[in-house]
Amino acid sequence: MTTPRTDADEVGGVGEVGGPEPADGPAPDGDGSAPDAAPLRAARLVEPGAVTVVIPTFNEAGNIRELLLRLTRSVPSHLPCEVVFVDDSTDHTPEVIRDAARDCPFPVTVIHRSTPTGGLGGAVVEGLRAAGSEWIVVMDADLQHPPALVPELVAAGEREGVDLVVASRYISGGSRAGLAGGYRIAVSRTATWLTKSLFPRGLRGISDPMSGFFAIRRSALAGAMSADALKPLGYKILLELAVRCRPRGVTEVPFVFQERFAGESKSTAQEGMRFLRHLTELRTASAPARMVAFGLIGLTGFLPNLLVLYGLTSWGMHYLSAEIVANQFGVVWNFLLIEVLIFRDRRGHRHWADRVGRFTLLANADLVLRIPLIALFVKSLGMAVLPATALALLLTFVLRFAATEALVYLPRPGGRRSGEHRVP
């Protein structure tokens, strides 16, 4: 049996509760009889197989008792197990967890976060830090992820010798039956296609990157945890772990996505937008990818620039003056987009007014530098005007991107890191 953790208060929790040590033999079900499935799965486990089950919760009081009961029935007695709830609730979910845990044969910890940083994904990362077992299983609290599959996820990882085991709805034997309505099915299909298209290498071997039900070895997380590299945004934590941690080997286990046991779905349009921002942050994690995104955003800036230029010249303003004014609208447009899509996690390094001023200065310096470069290429190198202009545009773009990273979004020497003592 795993040793009950005592550091919940240190990581922001409100205490740990747990039931008695289990007797030998399979855990009893509700009527005192042993379940049929647990011994079969237990026979397939390869030691070591200690497991921490991490469950993020937000107002899931109606599901807790049934969830812990099914986990008790499903986890074989010889499999050391602990359950860590990371709770962002505004209802009485923590109290329900404490009460229900008295009947559990394994330790149960509840970590309540007063500030839900990173949403559900951030809650999972908090649970990963608190986990004390070799294997960590992440699952939802609404019983759409069947607790009976927890031992099989660990068993599959031990049999295959891999770091990550994904419970998939999209392989033989799996089903998304619990998704309510055609709209949610369409959204799930689109999100799956989009993520696999954007990360073909990182998600190789994963048919269901949107799954929130998986097992991962603690050792696979060590590098990312020590470097504080995990930066989840929203509820798709598997994508974050697969892309940033690059686990050694992946296998999948089919599962049938169940209907929610109680409560309401937390899937909203706001969560969808957070998911899209998360995709963008992951895809632009490297400097070359950020430069491509920076260039694409710059291209979109021509639209507000041209619209304002047309309006001002139509009202009689001289075209040179109008171009200077219109350019500022394009600068503002570009600044807002890169703030949200590329450098969101670096905004805390400088005050917003400082960032605006530096970005505006660099964007306008681009215009001042471009004309002398064109003249230099034409007169000194004998280039034609169009190739000289194209080369000047390319050079000033690269310089502007490098200067933006270095002068606007890198931390100041001795300054605070983003996220320290304030939320950017």
Side-chain angles (χ1 to χ4, degrees):
M1 177 61 80
T2 49
T3 303
R5 296 183 61 80
T6 59
D7 60 352
D9 289 333
E10 295 179 14
V11 292
V14 294
E16 179 186 87
V17 288
E21 291 293 317
D24 291 338
D29 64 11
D31 60 4
S33 61
D36 294 333
L40 294 177
R41 291 191 180 88
R44 300 166 66 186
L45 288 173
V46 181
E47 296 295 346
V51 61
T52 297
V53 182
V54 173
I55 307 174
T57 52
F58 178 73
N59 296 349
E60 296 287 0
N63 295 309
I64 298 302
R65 294 185 185 279
E66 183 67 19
L67 171 61
L68 288 177
L69 175 61
R70 294 190 193 181
L71 278 172
T72 299
R73 292 174 176 176
S74 303
V75 177
S77 61
H78 82 276
L79 175 61
C81 175
E82 65 173 351
V83 176
V84 176
F85 287 94
V86 185
D87 181 69
D88 296 337
S89 298
T90 56
D91 66 358
H92 60 295
T93 297
E95 289 75 19
V96 174
I97 295 172
R98 293 191 191 93
D99 185 59
R102 295 191 180 99
D103 299 323
C104 292
F106 40 72
V108 176
T109 300
V110 55
I111 301 171
H112 181 73
R113 304 193 305 167
S114 56
T115 303
T117 305
L120 183 146
V124 171
V125 172
E126 195 74 37
L128 297 178
R129 293 193 182 101
S133 305
E134 176 190 3
W135 280 102
I136 304 170
V137 172
V138 176
M139 64 185 300
D140 291 345
D142 55 15
L143 292 166
Q144 291 186 303
H145 300 156
L149 203 60
V150 169
E152 175 58 22
L153 292 174
V154 178
E158 294 288 357
R159 285 196 307 267
E160 303 294 332
V162 297
D163 285 346
L164 177 64
V165 185
V166 178
S168 174
R169 298 164 290 181
Y170 301 126
I171 60 176
S172 178
S175 169
R176 56 175 179 270
L179 279 177
Y183 171 76
R184 287 195 64 190
I185 291 175
V187 169
S188 178
R189 284 177 174 174
T190 302
T192 299
W193 171 83
L194 182 60
T195 54
K196 288 182 70 67
S197 299
L198 289 173
F199 305 98
R201 293 179 60 190
L203 298 179
R204 184 181 293 117
I206 301 177
S207 65
D208 193 357
M210 297 294 98
S211 178
F213 192 17
F214 58 89
I216 190 166
R217 289 186 193 268
R218 192 180 180 193
S219 58
L221 304 170
M225 287 293 193
S226 62
D228 199 24
L230 296 179
K231 301 173 183 177
L233 180 64
Y235 60 108
K236 296 306 179 185
I237 184 64
L238 174 60
L239 175 64
E240 174 86 7
L241 297 178
V243 171
R244 294 199 192 274
C245 297
R246 297 297 175 94
R248 178 183 54 83
V250 179
T251 191
E252 295 189 319
V253 172
F255 89 106
V256 177
F257 192 70
Q258 307 290 319
E259 293 185 2
R260 167 177 276 273
F261 182 78
E264 298 180 353
S265 172
K266 308 305 187 295
S267 180
T268 63
Q270 182 180 9
E271 284 296 333
M273 292 304 298
R274 294 175 80 176
F275 167 67
L276 291 176
R277 291 208 309 270
H278 190 205
L279 279 182
T280 304
E281 288 183 12
L282 283 174
R283 187 62 279 174
T284 57
S286 66
R290 284 196 301 275
M291 187 165 67
V292 171
F294 189 87
L296 293 175
I297 289 173
L299 290 176
T300 68
F302 283 114
L303 179 60
N305 189 318
L306 292 175
L307 288 175
V308 173
L309 180 63
Y310 174 77
L312 293 177
T313 53
S314 298
W315 293 336
M317 182 179 288
H318 190 274
Y319 75 92
L320 289 178
S321 301
E323 175 57 41
I324 294 173
V325 174
N327 186 64
Q328 308 315 307
F329 282 83
V331 168
V332 171
W333 171 273
N334 291 344
F335 175 77
L336 292 175
L337 286 183
I338 69 166
E339 284 266 301
V340 172
L341 297 178
I342 302 180
F343 296 112
R344 183 179 181 278
D345 61 334
R346 301 190 190 182
R347 293 184 299 184
H349 297 316
R350 297 182 183 276
H351 190 273
W352 69 267
D354 189 9
R355 300 196 306 274
V356 170
R358 288 167 177 263
F359 184 84
T360 303
L361 181 63
L362 289 172
N364 285 284
D366 173 65
L367 289 176
V368 176
L369 179 61
R370 197 185 312 158
I371 294 174
L373 276 177
I374 294 172
L376 175 67
F377 295 152
V378 170
K379 293 183 178 179
S380 299
L381 302 181
M383 296 178 64
V385 173
L386 286 180
T389 302
L391 181 57
L393 282 169
L394 179 61
L395 288 176
T396 55
F397 162 72
V398 173
L399 289 172
R400 184 150 62 99
F401 170 74
T404 299
E405 280 220 312
L407 301 179
V408 182
Y409 291 104
L410 283 184
R412 290 170 294 184
R416 289 183 297 192
R417 289 177 59 85
S418 178
E420 292 182 356
H421 308 302
R422 70 178 181 183
V423 178

